[in-house]
Amino acid sequence: MVFKTFGWSFAVTALGLVAAVLYGGWTAFWLVAILSVLEVSLSFDNAVVNAGVLKKMSEFWQKIFLTIGILIAVFGMRLVFPVVIVSITAQLGPIEAVDLALTDHERYEELVTDAHPAIAAFGGMFLLMIFLEFIFEEREIKWLAWLERPLAKLGKVDMLSACIALIVLLITATTFAVHAHQYGGVHADKSATVLLAGVAGVVTYMIVGGLSGFFEDKLEEEEEREHEAEEEAKRTGKPLAATKLVGKAAFFMFMYLEVLDASFSFDGVIGAFAVSNDPVVIALGLGIGAMYVRSLTVYLVRQGTLDDYVYLEHGAHYAIGALAVILLITIQYEVPEVVTGLIGVALIAWSFFSSVRRNRALAAAGGDDPGSGGPGGSGEKTEVSSGV
């Protein structure tokens, strides 16, 4: 199972490290290895969230996510995206931008760093929308019930997530963006840029997420028509496979995953310049890491990990919220990558151990819902909560 899922990752790792040695010797080898580990450690929350979406999709689209999707992630976000940013900000042609990336690494790093406020605003607002939509949604299983229960009630207000996100954007544009961090430690007023990029992030989420939700609702209507057949299968003891997203629904869900991955990669691409300013080394290192994140996503789906450890998805979304806030803060201040990584790891680890404790409570109660009054329960029969 492990080799089947991670086989391509192992192959890409070998090829990437060999390419690094051929390109820049053993120095490039170690830089690529460091960047690979950095990308994996910072993106575990990305894998958990992706798995929550991917498990709804058919095996065909899961393979598309792991093959074509990784090409978009590696070549699109880790190699082409920084060059496009340089081309736009420096008003250079694509060929000139590529030449600059390969021949003048310091100038290339400067241009990418100066574009960071716009990148952080777009990615930060997209991720913030994901977090807000999650915490305002009414769900049966709650992790931090004392927080999630009242937020779910507030979530009944239409467009609340978008309103809060835009308020956060206005505050960011009038505070952090006024003294945005630039290359060399200088600061500049990037309020208009941040405001425009942030609105683009919110709009992108609403378009891609909205289309995904629309087609998913269409599938639910089809599920209702198949309900009688499912009941018959249950009576006869035949195993039932969960309904998988196919066609247009799966396509838009795939696009949603790609935009989600892009938003997660923004801070990694910028932070990679702290290790190396060579675009080839950065692309190799982050590309290997991205491949492992994709494989880990598929592994979580096939192992049913999110079903066994039900609070993992909660912890990952809280990590997304933390990352969104950190991205907005980095518009003015430099935040070490290790801080970002540790916050995400801590939240996911906390949610994992909460899930383990919940499973033990269920086992001790003979399979009864701990939310009905058992250890760690919330005292309500309609929901499951960690009680913390």
Side-chain angles (χ1 to χ4, degrees):
M1 177 65 182
V2 173
F3 184 79
K4 180 181 178 181
T5 306
F6 289 89
W8 281 104
S9 297
F10 298 150
V12 169
T13 300
L15 291 173
L17 292 176
V18 169
V21 173
L22 295 176
Y23 174 76
W26 290 107
T27 299
F29 174 91
W30 290 113
L31 290 175
V32 168
I34 291 171
L35 287 169
S36 301
V37 174
L38 179 67
E39 177 75 359
V40 174
S41 63
L42 292 177
S43 300
F44 185 78
D45 50 352
N46 187 10
V48 175
V49 174
N50 283 352
V53 179
L54 195 65
K55 68 181 182 180
K56 304 175 184 177
M57 302 169 70
S58 66
E59 186 174 351
F60 169 79
W61 279 99
Q62 290 179 10
K63 291 180 179 178
I64 292 294
F65 175 75
L66 194 57
T67 52
I68 296 177
I70 194 62
L71 293 178
I72 297 174
V74 175
F75 294 102
M77 287 309 303
R78 275 74 178 182
L79 184 60
V80 177
F81 172 72
V83 174
V84 171
I85 291 297
V86 168
S87 178
I88 295 174
T89 56
Q91 298 183 344
L92 299 174
I95 296 178
E96 293 176 288
V98 171
D99 181 67
L100 179 66
L102 296 175
T103 60
D104 192 346
H105 297 166
E106 186 174 349
R107 175 61 177 162
Y108 176 77
E109 178 185 354
E110 177 183 348
L111 292 173
V112 174
T113 302
D114 288 348
H116 176 66
I119 298 170
F122 180 92
M125 296 312 297
F126 186 88
L127 294 177
L128 182 61
M129 284 294 296
I130 293 173
F131 170 67
L132 292 175
E133 288 289 330
F134 181 84
I135 63 172
F136 286 137
E137 181 182 351
E138 179 64 47
R139 58 188 68 252
E140 181 181 356
I141 296 177
K142 294 179 174 63
W143 179 30
L144 307 179
W146 57 271
L147 176 63
E148 295 174 7
R149 191 180 297 113
L151 289 178
K153 293 180 180 178
L154 287 175
K156 296 177 181 179
V157 179
D158 290 339
M159 304 302 293
L160 181 61
S161 297
C163 290
I164 293 178
L166 291 175
I167 291 173
V168 171
L169 178 59
L170 285 174
I171 295 174
T172 301
T174 54
T175 53
F176 298 133
V178 176
H179 302 286
H181 174 77
Q182 300 287 271
Y183 184 80
V186 299
H187 293 83
D189 187 350
K190 295 285 185 176
S191 301
T193 300
V194 166
L195 194 60
L196 181 62
V199 169
V202 174
V203 171
T204 300
Y205 173 83
M206 296 180 73
I207 292 175
V208 180
L211 288 173
S212 299
F214 171 77
F215 286 106
E216 192 173 356
D217 290 340
K218 290 293 184 182
L219 276 184
E220 290 180 1
E221 297 177 4
E222 185 177 339
E223 289 176 15
E224 293 179 2
R225 291 193 296 268
E226 296 175 350
H227 181 70
E228 292 183 3
E230 293 176 355
E231 290 298 322
E232 177 64 25
K234 290 179 180 178
R235 285 194 296 269
T236 58
K238 296 180 180 179
L240 279 175
T243 302
K244 302 293 183 180
L245 293 176
V246 294
K248 292 181 180 179
F251 172 76
F252 282 107
M253 195 65 74
F254 171 77
M255 294 302 298
Y256 173 77
L257 283 173
E258 291 305 311
V259 177
L260 177 62
D261 177 78
S263 299
F264 270 102
S265 69
F266 287 153
D267 66 323
V269 172
I270 299 298
F273 283 98
V275 179
S276 172
N277 60 7
D278 189 321
V280 176
V281 170
I282 290 175
L284 287 173
L286 298 186
I288 292 173
M291 189 67 197
Y292 277 100
V293 173
R294 292 298 172 107
S295 297
L296 181 59
T297 298
V298 175
Y299 181 79
L300 291 174
V301 171
R302 292 175 178 172
Q303 290 292 101
T305 304
L306 298 186
D307 295 327
D308 295 333
Y309 303 97
V310 295
Y311 299 138
L312 268 181
E313 195 169 1
H314 294 72
H317 277 87
Y318 282 106
I320 285 178
L323 177 58
V325 172
I326 290 173
L327 276 173
L328 297 178
I329 292 175
T330 58
I331 292 175
Q332 181 176 356
Y333 302 102
E334 291 189 72
V335 178
E337 290 294 308
V338 65
V339 174
T340 306
L342 286 176
I343 291 176
V345 169
L347 287 168
I348 292 175
W350 182 14
S351 65
F352 173 78
F353 287 114
S354 294
S355 300
V356 172
R357 186 175 63 179
R358 170 188 181 273
N359 292 343
R360 289 175 178 173
L362 282 170
D368 292 333
D369 189 338
S372 63
S378 65
E380 295 182 19
K381 296 182 180 180
T382 57
E383 65 184 43
V384 180
S385 168
S386 67
V388 293

